[in-house]
Amino acid sequence: MPKKTVPFSIEDIKALTEKYPTPFYIYDEKAIRDNIRVFLKEFSWIDFKEYFAVKATPNPSIMKILSDEGCGMDCSSMPELVLAESIGCSGRQIMFTSNDTPKQEYEKAFSLGAVINLDDYSHIKSIEHMISPDSSMCLRYNPGNRRGNEIIGQLKDSKFGMSREQIFKSVYELKKYGIKSIGLHTMICSNELDPKYFQITAKNMFELAFDVSSEFDIKVGFVNLGGGIGVAYREDQPQMDISTLSTGIKTEYEKVLMKGMKPFSIFMENGRYITGPYGYLVCKVIHIKESYKNFAGVDANMANLMRPALYGAYHHITRMGSDSCGQTVEYDVVGSLCENNDKFAIDRKLDCLKEGDFLVIHDAGAHGHSMGFNYNGKLRSAEFLMDSDHNFKMIRRAETLEDYFATLNF
């Protein structure tokens, strides 16, 4: 298995920290571009579109890179819609996938001409005055009797999506508004590394599309297979084989066409796979504590990256620099929040650490900065983009105390 490497040097970090304190994020622009190009090429056999899941990395600079490479934007809220609009996206470049959706968010999505992905049959009545024959409508399916992967769990317990019967009722209702073409969507896994899982999903969704088009004499213009393609957070994990993934989906597509299904487009909405491996959280060791075990206290905390505390997720950690003592020591790598689960690693073997050492936490390019918060008054960190010439550009400044107190009225 390939070892995880850092695309920047200790000298780069030292140069940045002369002006900007840690912690901060660094994203590798070239790697993101290279990755999305390979991904899209694997699906060039079909009219395919990747709608980047904005929630993963809602930074307009990252979004603009992906938009330039041909991606649409999958949005789930008003701010995400506005972000997509700010980089020039509109119409079918935006997929609005939301649930428990406020009226004003639907209004914004319709005003942009976005594809409206309905989570529930009852939502049709609440937005009927917004629907026209030209509206781009999609229906989110929850198969119910199938189990999602480890993260998603049992689908019948999921709050997302409609049953088969509700999908059919929704199509019947949408035809009353003059809708002649619809899309179908599902999202039933997260961080999945087995391509066969997606082939089964494709088979189920393509068969549903065939049944809907046959039953209602309506065009199914696209099937959105959702996201959920995983990344190898551990060095001993295999990477997702995108070629095998694409081939498996193509097999199921050709089968349903042989049944008489008219050709349709295929969409996906990955976030983690697109940017996850190419974002790094850089922090500094500020304290070494020896009690019942060894603790390496860093200036980042779960407010900067909450996945390890929230999910028990693993993130590889690299100590930067060549001045190691030559020994390996077992540490809990911890932050300063008043929570005992504020840990990036537990019993992790690392090169022996000392105060002032820089650590890089890998695979933080998705669901990292975006899931941050301000508990204990912690301020959100800066984000930098490293371009192909190894230049570093700040794409989000760090929060200040003025930002933190901005909504208070003393």
Side-chain angles (χ1 to χ4, degrees), residues 25 27 54-58 233 271-272 275-276 279-281 301-308 311 315 344 361-373 380-383 396:
Y25 276 80
Y27 303 94
V54 175
K55 60 180 176 288
T57 320
Y233 286 98
R272 182 195 316 270
T275 59
Y280 306 83
L281 176 58
N301 55 70
M302 65 182 283
N304 302 111
L305 176 64
M306 72 186 303
R307 295 187 71 255
Y311 306 128
H315 282 262
F344 295 112
I361 302 176
H362 292 250
D363 302 310
H367 310 293
H369 191 284
S370 65
M371 294 176 71
F373 54 95
R380 306 287 293 281
S381 60
E383 294 178 292
R396 190 191 305 272

Side-chain angles (χ1 to χ4, degrees), residues 85-297:
E85 183 182 24
S86 75
I87 64 165
C89 289
S90 62
R92 289 174 65 91
Q93 291 175 294
I94 301 174
M95 178 81 64
F96 184 54
T97 304
S98 182
N99 67 97
D100 290 330
T101 310
K103 176 183 176 182
Q104 60 269 30
E105 296 193 357
Y106 272 133
E107 290 173 343
K108 180 64 176 179
F110 271 98
S111 74
L112 291 171
V115 180
I116 309 298
N117 189 9
L118 294 176
D119 182 71
D120 184 43
Y121 166 76
S122 68
H123 289 193
I124 296 175
K125 187 68 175 176
S126 65
I127 61 171
E128 61 180 357
H129 60 291
M130 306 180 201
I131 303 175
S132 74
D134 296 327
S135 298
S136 299
M137 306 300 297
C138 181
L139 303 172
R140 182 169 186 169
Y141 176 53
N142 180 339
N145 61 353
R146 185 181 176 195
R147 181 172 176 81
N149 69 348
E150 182 178 350
I151 295 176
I152 296 293
Q154 186 64 45
L155 291 176
K156 69 178 183 180
D157 296 325
S158 172
K159 70 173 185 174
F160 301 111
M162 305 181 224
S163 67
R164 178 185 172 92
E165 293 72 23
Q166 290 169 331
I167 291 287
F168 277 61
K169 285 176 62 178
S170 297
V171 175
Y172 177 79
E173 289 298 319
L174 288 174
K175 288 194 68 174
K176 294 179 181 179
Y177 299 94
I179 300 296
K180 295 181 174 57
S181 177
I182 63 161
L184 296 172
H185 165 273
T186 197
M187 174 73 183
I188 60 175
C189 67
S190 179
N191 196 35
E192 178 59 56
L193 292 170
D194 184 356
K196 292 181 181 178
Y197 196 96
F198 295 92
Q199 182 173 350
I200 294 171
T201 299
K203 178 179 185 295
N204 294 340
M205 289 301 295
F206 296 165
E207 290 176 349
L208 176 65
F210 177 78
D211 292 345
V212 166
S213 63
S214 301
E215 177 76 16
F216 293 98
D217 189 28
I218 192 171
K219 179 182 179 182
V220 176
F222 67 86
V223 172
N224 187 335
L225 299 175
I229 298 177
V231 301
Y233 286 98
R234 297 178 182 270
E235 287 188 314
D236 60 354
Q237 283 183 302
Q239 300 279 354
M240 166 62 82
D241 187 333
I242 296 300
S243 179
T244 299
L245 170 76
S246 175
T247 299
I249 292 172
K250 184 179 182 182
T251 297
E252 301 305 330
Y253 182 79
E254 291 174 343
K255 285 180 182 178
V256 77
L257 292 189
M258 290 178 64
K259 291 177 63 176
M261 180 74 182
K262 294 180 179 179
F264 53 89
S265 302
I266 296 177
F267 300 160
M268 293 191 81
E269 56 176 59
N270 295 285
R272 182 195 316 270
Y273 179 78
I274 305 302
T275 59
Y278 314 114
Y280 306 83
L281 176 58
V282 181
C283 57
K284 181 188 291 187
V285 177
I286 59 175
H287 191 65
I288 299 294
K289 177 180 179 179
E290 299 176 0
S291 57
Y292 296 105
K293 61 194 315 186
N294 297 311
F295 296 93

